[in-house]
PDB file of all heavy atoms in Angstrom:
ATOM      1  N   LEU A   7      -1.697  17.501   1.746  1.00  0.00           N
ATOM      2  CA  LEU A   7      -1.314  18.864   1.467  1.00  0.00           C
ATOM      3  C   LEU A   7      -0.762  19.431   2.734  1.00  0.00           C
ATOM      4  O   LEU A   7      -1.410  19.425   3.799  1.00  0.00           O
ATOM      5  CB  LEU A   7      -2.555  19.698   1.039  1.00  0.00           C
ATOM      6  CG  LEU A   7      -2.266  21.173   0.824  1.00  0.00           C
ATOM      7  CD1 LEU A   7      -1.318  21.391  -0.347  1.00  0.00           C
ATOM      8  CD2 LEU A   7      -3.577  21.922   0.588  1.00  0.00           C
ATOM      9  N   MET A   8       0.513  19.862   2.736  1.00  0.00           N
ATOM     10  CA  MET A   8       1.197  20.486   3.836  1.00  0.00           C
ATOM     11  C   MET A   8       1.124  19.622   5.094  1.00  0.00           C
ATOM     12  O   MET A   8       0.990  20.139   6.196  1.00  0.00           O
ATOM     13  CB  MET A   8       0.599  21.867   4.103  1.00  0.00           C
ATOM     14  CG  MET A   8       0.546  22.786   2.884  1.00  0.00           C
ATOM     15  SD  MET A   8       2.136  23.320   2.325  1.00  0.00           S
ATOM     16  CE  MET A   8       2.433  24.631   3.481  1.00  0.00           C
ATOM     17  N   HIS A   9       1.204  18.309   4.969  1.00  0.00           N
ATOM     18  CA  HIS A   9       1.181  17.358   6.062  1.00  0.00           C
ATOM     19  C   HIS A   9      -0.133  17.333   6.826  1.00  0.00           C
ATOM     20  O   HIS A   9      -0.208  16.797   7.930  1.00  0.00           O
ATOM     21  CB  HIS A   9       2.340  17.573   7.058  1.00  0.00           C
ATOM     22  CG  HIS A   9       3.650  17.399   6.420  1.00  0.00           C
ATOM     23  ND1 HIS A   9       4.150  16.165   6.013  1.00  0.00           N
ATOM     24  CD2 HIS A   9       4.643  18.325   6.118  1.00  0.00           C
ATOM     25  CE1 HIS A   9       5.353  16.322   5.493  1.00  0.00           C
ATOM     26  NE2 HIS A   9       5.664  17.617   5.542  1.00  0.00           N
ATOM     27  N   GLY A  10      -1.238  17.876   6.270  1.00  0.00           N
ATOM     28  CA  GLY A  10      -2.498  17.887   7.007  1.00  0.00           C
ATOM     29  C   GLY A  10      -2.469  18.837   8.182  1.00  0.00           C
ATOM     30  O   GLY A  10      -1.589  19.693   8.308  1.00  0.00           O
ATOM     31  N   SER A  11      -3.432  18.658   9.053  1.00  0.00           N
ATOM     32  CA  SER A  11      -3.522  19.563  10.173  1.00  0.00           C
ATOM     33  C   SER A  11      -2.753  19.137  11.433  1.00  0.00           C
ATOM     34  O   SER A  11      -2.573  19.902  12.358  1.00  0.00           O
ATOM     35  CB  SER A  11      -4.996  19.710  10.595  1.00  0.00           C
ATOM     36  OG  SER A  11      -5.466  18.518  11.165  1.00  0.00           O
ATOM     37  N   ASN A  12      -2.326  17.868  11.443  1.00  0.00           N
ATOM     38  CA  ASN A  12      -1.677  17.296  12.631  1.00  0.00           C
ATOM     39  C   ASN A  12      -2.498  17.542  13.884  1.00  0.00           C
ATOM     40  O   ASN A  12      -1.964  17.851  14.933  1.00  0.00           O
ATOM     41  CB  ASN A  12      -0.259  17.871  12.806  1.00  0.00           C
ATOM     42  CG  ASN A  12       0.687  17.372  11.730  1.00  0.00           C
ATOM     43  OD1 ASN A  12       0.637  16.246  11.318  1.00  0.00           O
ATOM     44  ND2 ASN A  12       1.498  18.290  11.182  1.00  0.00           N
ATOM     45  N   GLY A  13      -3.813  17.518  13.734  1.00  0.00           N
ATOM     46  CA  GLY A  13      -4.702  17.693  14.889  1.00  0.00           C
ATOM     47  C   GLY A  13      -5.051  19.118  15.185  1.00  0.00           C
ATOM     48  O   GLY A  13      -5.838  19.370  16.089  1.00  0.00           O
ATOM     49  N   ASN A  14      -4.439  20.079  14.508  1.00  0.00           N
ATOM     50  CA  ASN A  14      -4.714  21.489  14.762  1.00  0.00           C
ATOM     51  C   ASN A  14      -5.983  21.888  13.973  1.00  0.00           C
ATOM     52  O   ASN A  14      -5.953  21.896  12.765  1.00  0.00           O
ATOM     53  CB  ASN A  14      -3.547  22.341  14.338  1.00  0.00           C
ATOM     54  CG  ASN A  14      -3.750  23.838  14.634  1.00  0.00           C
ATOM     55  OD1 ASN A  14      -4.873  24.308  14.817  1.00  0.00           O
ATOM     56  ND2 ASN A  14      -2.648  24.547  14.658  1.00  0.00           N
ATOM     57  N   PRO A  15      -7.099  22.235  14.634  1.00  0.00           N
ATOM     58  CA  PRO A  15      -8.315  22.530  13.938  1.00  0.00           C
ATOM     59  C   PRO A  15      -8.275  23.826  13.110  1.00  0.00           C
ATOM     60  O   PRO A  15      -9.179  24.091  12.358  1.00  0.00           O
ATOM     61  CB  PRO A  15      -9.349  22.639  15.070  1.00  0.00           C
ATOM     62  CG  PRO A  15      -8.594  23.012  16.247  1.00  0.00           C
ATOM     63  CD  PRO A  15      -7.202  22.356  16.090  1.00  0.00           C
ATOM     64  N   PHE A  16      -7.288  24.655  13.253  1.00  0.00           N
ATOM     65  CA  PHE A  16      -7.179  25.921  12.587  1.00  0.00           C
ATOM     66  C   PHE A  16      -6.363  25.889  11.279  1.00  0.00           C
ATOM     67  O   PHE A  16      -6.214  26.875  10.614  1.00  0.00           O
ATOM     68  CB  PHE A  16      -6.609  26.998  13.496  1.00  0.00           C
ATOM     69  CG  PHE A  16      -7.465  27.160  14.754  1.00  0.00           C
ATOM     70  CD1 PHE A  16      -6.958  26.709  15.957  1.00  0.00           C
ATOM     71  CD2 PHE A  16      -8.699  27.740  14.691  1.00  0.00           C
ATOM     72  CE1 PHE A  16      -7.709  26.821  17.107  1.00  0.00           C
ATOM     73  CE2 PHE A  16      -9.490  27.867  15.810  1.00  0.00           C
ATOM     74  CZ  PHE A  16      -8.991  27.439  17.040  1.00  0.00           C
ATOM     75  N   THR A  17      -5.754  24.740  10.963  1.00  0.00           N
ATOM     76  CA  THR A  17      -4.873  24.698   9.808  1.00  0.00           C
ATOM     77  C   THR A  17      -5.422  23.933   8.613  1.00  0.00           C
ATOM     78  O   THR A  17      -4.754  23.859   7.580  1.00  0.00           O
ATOM     79  CB  THR A  17      -3.503  24.050  10.198  1.00  0.00           C
ATOM     80  OG1 THR A  17      -3.758  22.711  10.649  1.00  0.00           O
ATOM     81  CG2 THR A  17      -2.817  24.861  11.253  1.00  0.00           C
ATOM     82  N   GLY A  18      -6.600  23.382   8.699  1.00  0.00           N
ATOM     83  CA  GLY A  18      -7.125  22.632   7.575  1.00  0.00           C
ATOM     84  C   GLY A  18      -7.640  21.277   7.999  1.00  0.00           C
ATOM     85  O   GLY A  18      -7.995  21.105   9.152  1.00  0.00           O
ATOM     86  N   ASP A  19      -7.663  20.355   7.090  1.00  0.00           N
ATOM     87  CA  ASP A  19      -8.155  19.013   7.446  1.00  0.00           C
ATOM     88  C   ASP A  19      -7.112  17.942   7.170  1.00  0.00           C
ATOM     89  O   ASP A  19      -6.059  18.231   6.614  1.00  0.00           O
ATOM     90  CB  ASP A  19      -9.454  18.714   6.729  1.00  0.00           C
ATOM     91  CG  ASP A  19      -9.310  18.716   5.191  1.00  0.00           C
ATOM     92  OD1 ASP A  19      -8.296  18.230   4.695  1.00  0.00           O
ATOM     93  OD2 ASP A  19     -10.234  19.233   4.517  1.00  0.00           O
ATOM     94  N   ASP A  20      -7.421  16.766   7.567  1.00  0.00           N
ATOM     95  CA  ASP A  20      -6.504  15.629   7.418  1.00  0.00           C
ATOM     96  C   ASP A  20      -6.883  14.729   6.276  1.00  0.00           C
ATOM     97  O   ASP A  20      -6.401  13.604   6.202  1.00  0.00           O
ATOM     98  CB  ASP A  20      -6.420  14.840   8.729  1.00  0.00           C
ATOM     99  CG  ASP A  20      -5.639  15.573   9.790  1.00  0.00           C
ATOM    100  OD1 ASP A  20      -4.640  16.200   9.467  1.00  0.00           O
ATOM    101  OD2 ASP A  20      -6.054  15.499  10.978  1.00  0.00           O
ATOM    102  N   LEU A  21      -7.757  15.199   5.397  1.00  0.00           N
ATOM    103  CA  LEU A  21      -8.163  14.352   4.276  1.00  0.00           C
ATOM    104  C   LEU A  21      -7.045  14.328   3.206  1.00  0.00           C
ATOM    105  O   LEU A  21      -6.485  15.371   2.889  1.00  0.00           O
ATOM    106  CB  LEU A  21      -9.461  14.862   3.643  1.00  0.00           C
ATOM    107  CG  LEU A  21     -10.658  14.760   4.522  1.00  0.00           C
ATOM    108  CD1 LEU A  21     -11.867  15.447   3.817  1.00  0.00           C
ATOM    109  CD2 LEU A  21     -10.993  13.297   4.833  1.00  0.00           C
ATOM    110  N   PRO A  22      -6.787  13.195   2.602  1.00  0.00           N
ATOM    111  CA  PRO A  22      -5.829  13.137   1.502  1.00  0.00           C
ATOM    112  C   PRO A  22      -6.336  13.986   0.338  1.00  0.00           C
ATOM    113  O   PRO A  22      -7.545  14.148   0.146  1.00  0.00           O
ATOM    114  CB  PRO A  22      -5.766  11.669   1.143  1.00  0.00           C
ATOM    115  CG  PRO A  22      -6.294  10.946   2.340  1.00  0.00           C
ATOM    116  CD  PRO A  22      -7.283  11.856   2.966  1.00  0.00           C
ATOM    117  N   ILE A  23      -5.429  14.508  -0.476  1.00  0.00           N
ATOM    118  CA  ILE A  23      -5.821  15.289  -1.643  1.00  0.00           C
ATOM    119  C   ILE A  23      -5.670  14.527  -2.927  1.00  0.00           C
ATOM    120  O   ILE A  23      -6.006  15.028  -4.022  1.00  0.00           O
ATOM    121  CB  ILE A  23      -5.013  16.616  -1.718  1.00  0.00           C
ATOM    122  CG1 ILE A  23      -3.526  16.373  -1.849  1.00  0.00           C
ATOM    123  CG2 ILE A  23      -5.324  17.495  -0.513  1.00  0.00           C
ATOM    124  CD1 ILE A  23      -2.703  17.561  -2.241  1.00  0.00           C
ATOM    125  N   GLY A  24      -5.119  13.331  -2.852  1.00  0.00           N
ATOM    126  CA  GLY A  24      -4.968  12.502  -4.032  1.00  0.00           C
ATOM    127  C   GLY A  24      -4.358  11.160  -3.660  1.00  0.00           C
ATOM    128  O   GLY A  24      -4.324  10.786  -2.471  1.00  0.00           O
TER     129      GLY A  24
END
Side-chain angles (χ1 to χ4, degrees):
L7 177 64
M8 308 290 281
H9 298 291
S11 71
N12 292 319
N14 183 341
F16 301 108
T17 60
D19 60 41
D20 287 321
L21 294 175
I23 61 167

